[in-house]
Amino acid sequence: MTSDTPLDARSSPRAVRLAARKGELTGPTSGLASGFVQVNLVILPEAEANGFLRFCQANPKPCPLIAVSEPGQRECSVLGADLDIARDVPAYRLYRHGKTSGTLESVANEWRDDLVTFALGCSFTFEHALVQAGLRVRHIDEQRNVPMFNTTIPLSSAGGFGGNLVVSMRPFLAADAIRAIQITTRFPQVHGSPVHLGDPALIGISDIHSPDYGDTVSVGDDELPVFWACGVTPQQVLMDAGVEFAITHSPGHMLVTDIPDSGLALF
Amino acid sequence: MTSDTPLDARSSPRAVRLAARKGELTGPTSGLASGFVQVNLVILPEAEANGFLRFCQANPKPCPLIAVSEPGQRECSVLGADLDIARDVPAYRLYRHGKTSGTLESVANEWRDDLVTFALGCSFTFEHALVQAGLRVRHIDEQRNVPMFNTTIPLSSAGGFGGNLVVSMRPFLAADAIRAIQITTRFPQVHGSPVHLGDPALIGISDIHSPDYGDTVSVGDDELPVFWACGVTPQQVLMDAGVEFAITHSPGHMLVTDIPDSGLALF
């Protein structure tokens, strides 16, 4: 794979990372290196990281940990060979005092010896498993972002962090909803089984067609909305806590790992 | 265990079978020999049995096969040691030309060399697993029979048999419904995962409080009715087909096997 070859579903995870590192890839990673796990990144100074790790442990559905680095570490062999946490994501987001302070193609200049990286599972992996099982995923069919909602489901407070769960929603016929529950149960490291299905009002969602993040999708009268814990939750929690300094991936611009999707299946 | 000891949850499966064999137990088996699989029995002449076996194979959710005997065979080591199919059930039902022709404590006098026995899984096993996981099962809490309904879900026709699925219903809060789907998925030989949840009208049920068999139970506004394939289905199918001769257990009067409930778990 040379830099002249355009990236696509058949690209290797390493080729995607190298393209991001060189600044040749600055767009979203959806559809690239199909079949390999893409992860959400949260990077925090060690002082906040210790509390955030306790928070993730207490809230595994929204914050499923795939890897946690040692302070200052930029490589991560669990995620992939020849991997640079500070440069291999196409776009990073910087936060200061709980607010976004810009998007960067590299955070090598911002790197500090006390930064701890959290790699969190992402729903791309379970959506891939749903599609492979023959299910149709509405927002993919309608070429939109998945609809996401704030809820009244409380998180377990830990390490100085807390708040309410953010969920993503995918509508299914009942039989497909049952199948989707079975399939996603196999993948606890990418949010696992749903947290709710049916009446949205029971978890504080007043209008299924007005998501708080992402896009609206159609929901049939004969369908059940099915709700999964969402990776937006930790980002919201970090902002609410007003953390002094944090780096995350920019939404949709993920770190592509060498882990095959099937490598995260429980059984 | 002697015949003087009253039967209860701690009785061995063999003690329950011997009590039935001696005519000391003629009542329902619910609650006896807790933790061991109880099975539905369908006994047919070989001519019909071959077609019925194809029907079961094509409809594993309502007709999950745990064992099938050779023609004429009254013992069945897969189900238990020292077991007599013709005498170890507390009450049998006889069918002639698709109609019930009476209840018997033994079918030893009716036994024929061409009779094939089908042992089918029963929801007692998965209900035990649900309760052990901390879920509340409504009809158990309300001390009623599980509500069962005819549906418009077509069965796969095979071997001269066909019709529509009969389902049992248990209401749960959404999070518990998700858990119940996970737990029952582990037990394909006792009906496995649900076939539907949510709107009863989508499977042809007009009133959730008017079951076709069993008793009505309360369903909360915040609950989803969850529907499983039901062992009444094969009995209904046999009657609809007008089979010349058949024997089944009498409802609630099951054959208690030596198989531990956990022995049927997939994982």
Side-chain angles (χ1 to χ4, degrees), chain A residues 4-28:
Chain A
D4 298 319
T5 310
L7 296 170
D8 62 16
R10 288 160 306 172
S11 300
S12 73
R14 186 161 175 271
V16 177
R17 291 197 299 270
L18 287 178
R21 192 181 306 174
K22 291 177 188 165
E24 295 162 3
L25 170 67
T26 57

Side-chain angles (χ1 to χ4, degrees), chain B residues 39-164:
Chain B
V39 293
N40 297 307
L41 285 192
V42 170
I43 303 172
L44 289 169
E46 193 179 356
E48 287 78 28
N50 295 327
F52 187 69
L53 180 52
R54 294 201 297 280
F55 176 77
C56 291
Q57 194 283 323
N59 295 280
K61 285 214 151 180
C63 308
L65 289 172
I66 291 181
V68 181
S69 76
E70 291 299 310
Q73 185 188 332
R74 277 169 58 171
E75 78 282 10
C76 186
S77 60
V78 173
L79 299 178
D82 181 23
L83 182 151
D84 185 353
I85 289 166
R87 294 188 294 164
D88 288 1
V89 169
Y92 297 85
R93 227 182 222 187
L94 215 63
Y95 295 83
R96 292 188 193 275
H97 305 290
K99 292 200 190 331
T100 314
S101 77
T103 300
L104 295 167
E105 290 179 21
S106 161
V107 291
N109 292 334
E110 284 69 26
W111 201 256
R112 298 162 28 171
D113 283 347
D114 67 341
L115 292 181
V116 175
T117 300
F118 297 80
L120 303 165
C122 149
S123 57
F124 283 3
T125 299
F126 80 64
E127 287 178 351
H128 186 233
L130 294 175
V131 169
Q132 284 204 312
L135 298 185
R136 308 299 302 247
V137 179
R138 185 63 38 80
H139 68 93
I140 295 176
D141 282 353
E142 296 184 350
Q143 296 186 284
R144 296 180 194 170
N145 287 320
V146 69
M148 294 165 274
F149 300 87
N150 296 318
T151 74
T152 50
I153 301 173
L155 298 161
S156 299
S157 294
F161 299 100
N164 285 343

